[in-house]
Amino acid sequence: MIALKMFPRRNARLLSVIGFTLLIILMLYKISGPLDGSKSFELEPGTEQARSKSARDDSPDLLTQSPEHLKKQKEYENRIMANIKKMSVHKELKRKMDHDPVGIILHKKPSLLDGLGRVNDLEEQDTAIRKSVVMENQLKHRIVHLDLKGAPPKIEYLKKLFPLLHSFGATGLLLEYEDMFPYWGKLEFLSAENAYAKGDIADIIEIAKRNSLEVIPLVQTFGHMEHVLKLKEFSELREVPNYPQVICPTNNKTLSLIKMMIDQILEMHPGIDWLHIGSDEVYNLGECTRCQQYLLHQQFGKSDLFLHHVKKVAKYVKDNYDIQPIMWDDEFRKIPLRAIQDSQVGQLLEIMVWKYSTGIMVDLHSDIWEKYSSVFSGVWIASAFKGAANPESYITNINDRLSNHKEWMEIFDMYKNTIPFRGIVLTGWQRFDHFAVLCELFPQAIPSLAVNLMYISERKADHGALARVGDVLKCNSFINLDLQYMEYPNKCDFPGSAVYEVSQKLFILKRDIDTMLHNPHVTGWVSDYNIENNFASPQHVEQGLQDLSMLLFDFTKLMTDAETALADVYDEYTVKEWISLNIKPTHDKLQKLYASSTKLQEKKYWPRRPLDTEQNKEL
């Protein structure tokens, strides 16, 4: 039995509108120029109309770009328009094959009458076309990000997880160790007390190799260095004394520290092809006195300082290890093309373009892609299958993550003939940064990862595709894509599925508790004021909190279930942190409310107003 809900394909419509609008604008200018009486658009330098206007105005300075650059830009635009036109050919096929269901019920296999036969018929009719689309739309590298900071999964769990990732179609791992890496010597204090041992790192690499998963380590070298700069021993390297996020690029000790970190990471990862050197969100740049003096002396801007530092780091990796460094792209978005070209950093780096929400085409417009295509020989894209909602979120909404991946695939389709795409990294953040609380844990997001990896490979997320995901995950109940429609937990059997089930139960229980607390009987008769003064109508208290005993019982049981489920994946410290963040506060609140409601209902006689409050006693 299939449960569906169709959502409008906004992205496809948006793409069609953009393409149609561009064509109309080009036709208007080509035929007649701007409409009379309206404010005209600026003519692009180098176009035929611009040259004519320049001749009429005797203003040769208007031609600011070389003919070679104009020719290249025109060719680039033509390729983009060709891609848009080509994408429209498959629009109808995608509409048929790529619905947006809320989920699918798997306890009874869909029959032909339930709709699977219709999908199979479409597949048979369009086999040749669909195979062609999938092949040309395939990304070679499909890398899964493991954010390990502050909460390392047990090695025994990873032994079960990695084969599953391979079965989903993953080709590699981006391992962000942070304080979970076993640094030694002068760097020993960079490691958390519950960090992996050297033998654990060797095991991780071996397990990944057995499952054909290429390993790419990630080490931060500029921003997000909190795990280093929080320590007294390295505090002098902060760009801003009170902020341990960004390292000072002009401090003489900075580069030697970063080189030592890279040396130890690479010593433990022999034979790798890529190293990710981070460098995203460098919010504090060129702010210390030393950096400001350096900028003044070198006549540098802050962008030049950024490029100068990352170039030295990338050159060290490439020259000493013959390994290709990769960097996050966000700082490059605001740096002019000429500055990047002059730095020659593109000869050393590959770029990883990240965006975890929707609106990718708006935020990452064509100028950015043109800049990257002219500078970098390798471009990666980075989506998110979890951990990109809120810093305190504990459960993943798959539909949000799927929307992000659908937009990324549209970007890929649009630019694949002009951008040297290497592959995609599906990020899965465990904390927003070193100091942040735990957000969405990996096991509860495995269904999201499976759905999105399948979509990247097949460009499908219809009920047939979801049924195959359910089979791989050994699910026998409803696979939910949107949290707002969740009525009961999904039942599956994959590594960490107990954490997945606990997270769903917690979401449902918190929603039920919130509904109870916003009941008019509670808001009107069991407020803090009523409880403080022990003054309420027993009947309203009873009616408003009739589900309280059951919810408290369920929450108490959930705490025990959570401890057991989490202990199969994480160490005792992670288990305690997750319980303290997500269950204990609500459990304590329910217990306190239960005690207060009992007291309110036991009262038989009440005083006249005004009530004798603590505030009145003080008066």
Side-chain angles (χ1 to χ4, degrees):
M1 179 175 178
I2 307 298
L4 302 175
K5 181 176 177 67
M6 303 297 297
F7 292 90
R9 292 189 52 80
R10 300 182 181 90
N11 297 334
R13 294 198 191 104
L14 177 60
L15 188 60
S16 299
V17 170
I18 291 172
F20 181 77
T21 303
L22 286 173
L23 288 172
I24 293 298
I25 291 173
L26 290 172
M27 291 174 62
L28 285 173
Y29 274 110
K30 186 172 181 180
I31 296 172
S32 59
L35 296 176
D36 293 335
S38 65
K39 183 177 179 180
S40 63
F41 295 103
E42 270 194 44
L43 295 173
E44 181 183 352
T47 61
E48 181 177 349
Q49 291 90 337
R51 288 194 293 270
S52 299
K53 186 178 186 301
S54 177
R56 290 195 302 270
D57 294 346
D58 293 325
S59 302
D61 291 340
L62 290 178
L63 186 60
T64 59
Q65 303 180 33
S66 66
E68 291 79 8
H69 180 80
L70 293 169
K71 181 179 179 181
K72 179 181 177 182
Q73 186 172 348
K74 191 64 177 178
E75 291 174 351
Y76 187 85
E77 292 175 354
N78 289 339
R79 289 197 297 271
I80 295 301
M81 295 304 298
N83 284 343
I84 293 175
K85 183 177 180 181
K86 189 175 182 180
M87 289 171 64
S88 66
V89 173
H90 303 295
K91 181 180 177 182
E92 181 62 20
L93 177 61
K94 284 189 174 186
R95 185 189 68 78
K96 294 178 181 179
M97 302 300 296
D98 190 17
H99 301 303
D100 289 341
V102 172
I104 176 171
I105 292 178
L106 295 167
H107 67 270
K108 182 175 78 70
K109 297 298 180 184
S111 68
L112 293 178
L113 296 178
D114 290 326
L116 186 59
R118 180 177 59 82
V119 174
N120 288 337
D121 290 342
L122 285 172
E123 289 178 347
E124 292 174 3
Q125 295 169 11
D126 299 310
T127 296
I129 300 176
R130 181 164 41 81
K131 285 184 177 180
S132 174
V133 172
V134 170
M135 289 301 295
E136 72 175 18
N137 288 346
Q138 191 64 271
L139 283 157
K140 180 179 179 181
H141 298 285
R142 298 175 297 281
I143 311 296
V144 175
H145 173 227
L146 281 179
D147 179 15
L148 303 172
K149 52 179 175 275
K154 294 178 179 179
I155 299 300
E156 289 303 312
Y157 176 72
L158 297 181
K159 288 180 181 178
K160 303 172 186 175
L161 175 66
F162 286 5
L164 188 66
L165 300 184
H166 175 70
S167 72
F168 291 162
T171 64
L173 303 168
L174 179 65
L175 296 179
E176 184 167 359
Y177 293 106
E178 205 195 58
D179 58 346
M180 290 299 108
F181 185 79
Y183 290 103
W184 61 89
K186 294 181 179 179
L187 303 183
E188 180 181 359
F189 293 108
L190 300 187
S191 303
E193 294 184 2
N194 61 332
Y196 289 124
K198 288 185 178 180
D200 295 330
I201 302 299
D203 287 343
I204 290 172
I205 295 171
E206 176 60 28
I207 300 167
K209 184 178 180 180
R210 287 203 305 264
N211 291 281
S212 302
L213 296 172
E214 184 167 13
V215 171
I216 303 176
L218 187 155
V219 55
Q220 291 288 1
T221 59
F222 210 159
H224 281 302
M225 293 196 67
E226 298 94 337
H227 69 294
V228 177
L229 300 177
K230 72 177 183 181
L231 302 171
K232 183 178 180 180
E233 293 86 346
F234 301 101
S235 59
E236 64 176 309
L237 300 182
R238 299 172 186 172
E239 179 67 17
V240 178
N242 292 335
Y243 299 161
Q245 284 88 352
V246 178
I247 200 165
C248 175
T250 61
N251 191 306
N252 292 332
K253 297 180 181 180
T254 291
L255 195 59
S256 60
L257 168 65
I258 291 172
K259 287 179 179 179
M260 281 193 290
M261 293 171 64
I262 290 173
D263 290 342
Q264 293 190 14
I265 289 283
L266 293 182
E267 182 176 334
M268 295 296 296
H269 294 81
I272 62 174
D273 294 324
W274 285 283
L275 175 69
H276 201 305
I277 59 173
S279 303
D280 60 319
E281 298 182 335
V282 186
Y283 293 137
N284 309 111
L285 178 63
E287 295 186 15
C288 73
T289 302
R290 183 187 294 104
C291 283
Q292 290 177 357
Q293 290 176 347
Y294 181 83
L295 292 175
L296 183 62
H297 182 265
Q298 297 290 334
Q299 295 186 337
F300 271 7
K302 290 187 177 183
S303 294
D304 299 310
L305 180 61
F306 174 82
L307 293 169
H308 183 67
H309 177 72
V310 299
K311 181 180 178 181
K312 287 191 294 185
V313 175
K315 192 173 190 303
Y316 178 77
V317 173
K318 203 156 190 177
D319 289 352
N320 289 274
Y321 293 98
D322 192 26
I323 291 173
Q324 177 60 57
I326 306 171
M327 264 186 59
W328 298 116
D329 85 298
D330 51 300
E331 294 296 331
F332 284 96
R333 297 175 197 176
K334 53 196 176 188
I335 301 177
L337 173 61
R338 178 55 61 86
I340 301 175
Q341 290 175 329
D342 291 345
S343 72
Q344 298 183 334
V345 73
Q347 299 175 18
L348 301 169
L349 283 169
E350 291 184 355
I351 203 75
M352 187 170 288
V353 189
W354 62 274
K355 176 72 176 175
Y356 307 142
S357 61
T358 54
I360 299 175
M361 289 187 182
V362 175
D363 292 340
L364 300 175
H365 46 78
S366 59
D367 290 348
I368 291 176
W369 293 110
E370 183 179 359
K371 177 167 65 175
Y372 290 166
S373 69
S374 63
V375 172
F376 299 105
S377 60
V379 177
W380 299 73
I381 56 180
S383 59
F385 72 92
K386 78 174 185 76
N390 299 298
E392 78 284 6
S393 175
Y394 60 88
I395 189 169
T396 302
N397 192 327
I398 300 178
N399 250 346
D400 292 344
R401 302 296 95 230
L402 184 58
S403 296
N404 176 241
H405 286 87
K406 287 183 176 182
E407 286 198 17
W408 266 123
M409 292 302 97
E410 289 180 358
I411 290 287
F412 172 69
D413 289 340
M414 182 178 293
Y415 293 106
K416 64 188 175 186
N417 293 328
T418 58
I419 302 290
F421 287 117
R422 287 271 191 251
I424 183 171
V425 170
L426 295 88
T427 65
W429 302 98
Q430 188 162 260
R431 301 180 193 271
F432 273 34
D433 71 15
H434 180 80
F435 288 100
V437 298
L438 287 168
C439 55
E440 300 159 30
L441 296 179
F442 196 100
Q444 65 80 37
I446 284 178
S448 174
L449 178 61
V451 168
N452 286 296
L453 274 171
M454 174 168 286
Y455 183 79
I456 289 170
S457 299
E458 300 187 15
R459 302 304 176 82
K460 293 170 61 180
D462 58 18
H463 49 281
L466 291 177
R468 293 196 299 278
V469 170
D471 287 341
V472 173
L473 298 180
K474 300 178 182 179
C475 298
N476 59 8
S477 61
F478 188 77
I479 290 184
N480 181 280
L481 296 187
D482 199 318
L483 294 177
Q484 66 177 317
Y485 299 108
M486 181 184 292
E487 298 298 331
Y488 53 89
N490 304 348
K491 299 285 187 178
C492 302
D493 184 17
F494 57 82
S497 59
V499 178
Y500 173 53
E501 186 172 344
V502 161
S503 299
Q504 295 172 93
K505 287 181 178 178
L506 178 60
F507 179 84
I508 294 170
L509 274 174
K510 283 193 172 184
R511 185 180 59 194
D512 291 345
I513 292 168
D514 187 66
T515 299
M516 177 187 71
L517 294 179
H518 286 84
N519 185 303
H521 294 287
V522 176
T523 58
W525 284 270
V526 198
S527 68
D528 291 341
Y529 179 84
N530 293 109
I531 292 173
E532 180 183 350
N533 291 281
N534 197 19
F535 189 83
S537 166
Q539 184 175 11
H540 283 286
V541 175
E542 182 179 336
Q543 288 178 311
L545 299 178
Q546 58 184 329
D547 295 329
L548 178 58
S549 297
M550 180 188 67
L551 291 172
L552 180 56
F553 175 83
D554 289 343
F555 224 82
T556 303
K557 183 178 184 303
L558 182 66
M559 183 180 293
T560 302
D561 293 344
E563 290 173 349
T564 302
L566 291 166
D568 287 339
V569 181
Y570 297 102
D571 61 23
E572 59 183 299
Y573 307 104
T574 304
V575 174
K576 183 178 179 181
E577 180 180 357
W578 195 89
I579 296 291
S580 297
L581 289 168
N582 297 297
I583 295 186
K584 193 174 185 303
T586 303
H587 185 260
D588 291 348
K589 183 177 181 179
L590 290 177
Q591 285 186 316
K592 185 178 179 180
L593 182 60
Y594 182 81
S596 297
S597 67
T598 301
K599 186 177 180 181
L600 287 173
Q601 292 180 77
E602 288 175 346
K603 187 132 184 177
K604 303 299 182 182
Y605 310 100
W606 297 269
R608 295 183 298 170
R609 295 185 187 275
L611 302 179
D612 189 15
T613 65
E614 290 297 323
Q615 181 179 4
N616 289 338
K617 286 181 181 180
E618 293 176 2
L619 294 175

